[in-house]
Amino acid sequence: MKTVVLGTGRMGRRHIQVVKELSLDLVGVCDSNPEALALAEKEQGVPARIRYSDVSSLLKEMRPECVIIATTAPTHCEYTCLAAEAGAKYILCEKPMAVSLAECDRMLEACQRHEARLAINHQMRFMEQYTEPKRIINSEAFGGLTSITVVAGNFGMAMNGTHYFEMLRYMADEGPDEVAAWFSMEKVPNPRGPQFEDRAGSVRMNTPGGKRFYMEIGSDQGHGIKVIYAGKYGQIVVDELSGAMTMVRREDGYRSLPTTRYGMPAVYSTQAIKPADALAPSRAVLEALLGDKNPPSGEDGRLALQGLVAAYLSDEQAHRSVKIAETNSCRERVFPWA
């Protein structure tokens, strides 16, 4: 399958490796930065004949069937639409999906009109550090998911926060309908350039079914990612960087007691799970897209972005709880995400 990768930064080069591993026909890579193209040659052996600096020229000349977009967010909409118009049938776009909800809608409309399948690289449904806690917390012994708490270093509301908003939808089997946020006052310089901004702070989300999500990634926090999954009868704690998972739950004979009896005799256990890895999950997303096996869709990516927009609105409006549906009223607003 004729495949191109747009953007040869760190993530783009990982996608090039995935394309090679899947034995797809890499017919072009593109980046406006000559240094990034040089790194693609050095690290992945990309020959000069398929290196481009202009996306339109590459798409016109190669007419790829599969397009992977690994540029920064401001170009995601333009390149997705160009790829669909050029006849690509499979488009994998990095997150965050776009810099406005209106751009998300243009991407979805273009792909529908040209019969292209769009996936956003939200990888949680393919990662053991999420599939395993979901299986365990929903078991009879743990009683089903009630809340998720993420405590981490300053990994950015857009860059990684949107991953966790999609994680909530995956873990709870429903997306959020209400969001409140408290952004950190300090704005840390973005490593992708001074034109970009990615806020830190705290977020609370509720789902229609009553599940709760909390994320604490303040600008004064500089290490780690830990996630606590709470169920009716127990908790799971995952250290995502080390892969360590600890579990505690009530002994079976005490499940019928009220939740106020939180100190009942318990069963403790530990388990090692595969720590975070950007390459294998990205490969799983691309395989799911090409094989029509439930990849994270453009609609999933838009919902994650709605959670992010709602967080901005909440912080700007004295931290009030914002309904997800309210975000459509500012769908044209452009944000400075990378």
Side-chain angles (χ1 to χ4, degrees), residues 284-300:
V285 172
L286 183 56
E287 287 181 304
L289 172 63
L290 299 179
D292 194 16
K293 297 179 180 177
N294 189 33
S297 67
E299 289 78 8
D300 293 335

Side-chain angles (χ1 to χ4, degrees), residues 137-163:
I137 203 70
N138 287 319
S139 67
E140 182 180 357
F142 280 79
L145 179 72
T146 57
S147 71
I148 302 170
T149 303
V150 179
V151 180
N154 177 13
F155 59 39
M157 293 283 178
M159 182 53 59
N160 287 294
T162 51
H163 268 325

Side-chain angles (χ1 to χ4, degrees), residues 300-322:
D300 293 335
R302 189 187 193 278
L303 180 58
L305 216 66
Q306 280 186 283
L308 183 58
V309 172
Y312 271 76
L313 295 180
S314 173
D315 182 72
E316 293 166 357
Q317 298 173 21
H319 318 296
R320 74 173 180 90
S321 292
V322 173

Side-chain angles (χ1 to χ4, degrees), residues 3 13 15 17 20 31 46 59 85 89 95 127 151 155 180 183 186 193 232 235 255 299 307 332:
T3 302
R13 296 194 298 276
H15 282 297
Q17 184 174 339
K20 289 182 173 182
D31 202 297
V46 177
L59 295 175
E85 291 163 5
K89 295 306 176 187
K95 50 74 198 167
M127 300 174 71
V151 180
F155 59 39
F183 287 175
E186 181 185 10
K232 187 173 183 180
Q235 298 179 357
R255 287 184 203 157
E299 289 78 8
E332 296 289 345

Side-chain angles (χ1 to χ4, degrees), residues 97-229:
M97 181 175 174
V99 293
S100 74
L101 294 175
E103 286 193 347
C104 293
D105 293 338
R106 287 195 285 275
M107 294 163 73
L108 292 169
E109 189 279 329
C111 288
Q112 182 179 26
R113 178 159 38 92
H114 294 284
E115 299 183 340
R117 298 200 65 219
L118 173 64
I120 308 301
N121 200 25
H122 289 302
Q123 311 153 342
M124 277 52 183
R125 68 189 70 182
F126 303 110
M127 300 174 71
E128 187 181 45
Q129 61 186 236
Y130 303 106
T131 59
E132 190 66 358
K134 182 175 183 177
R135 179 188 68 80
I136 295 169
I137 203 70
N138 287 319
S139 67
E140 182 180 357
F142 280 79
L145 179 72
T146 57
S147 71
I148 302 170
T149 303
V150 179
V151 180
N154 177 13
F155 59 39
M157 293 283 178
M159 182 53 59
N160 287 294
T162 51
H163 268 325
Y164 288 90
F165 302 160
E166 161 59 13
M167 181 266 270
L168 167 64
R169 189 213 56 76
Y170 166 72
M171 295 295 296
D173 292 315
E174 59 179 355
D177 70 343
E178 192 173 27
V179 180
W182 297 257
F183 287 175
S184 299
M185 295 297 293
E186 181 185 10
K187 296 182 180 179
V188 178
N190 194 294
R192 288 169 175 77
Q195 70 273 37
F196 299 119
E197 178 185 291
D198 200 353
R199 301 302 297 274
S202 307
V203 173
R204 184 190 74 223
M205 293 181 166
N206 295 327
T207 73
K211 306 296 192 299
R212 285 92 61 197
F213 172 88
Y214 308 90
M215 186 169 71
E216 175 54 60
I217 54 167
S219 62
D220 54 357
Q221 297 177 186
H223 180 74
I225 306 174
K226 286 192 176 179
V227 183
I228 303 172
Y229 302 94

Side-chain angles (χ1 to χ4, degrees), residues 1-2 4 58-60 62-67 79-91 110-111 113-117:
M1 181 179 292
K2 293 172 64 178
V4 302
L58 170 57
L59 295 175
K60 182 178 180 180
M62 293 302 176
R63 295 289 175 180
E65 300 163 83
C66 176
V67 175
Y79 292 169
T80 295
C81 294
L82 285 174
E85 291 163 5
K89 295 306 176 187
Y90 304 96
I91 302 171
C111 288
R113 178 159 38 92
H114 294 284
E115 299 183 340
R117 298 200 65 219

Side-chain angles (χ1 to χ4, degrees), residues 3-18:
T3 302
V4 302
V5 176
L6 310 182
T8 58
R10 182 176 62 176
M11 199 65 208
R13 296 194 298 276
R14 288 171 175 164
H15 282 297
I16 292 171
Q17 184 174 339
V18 166

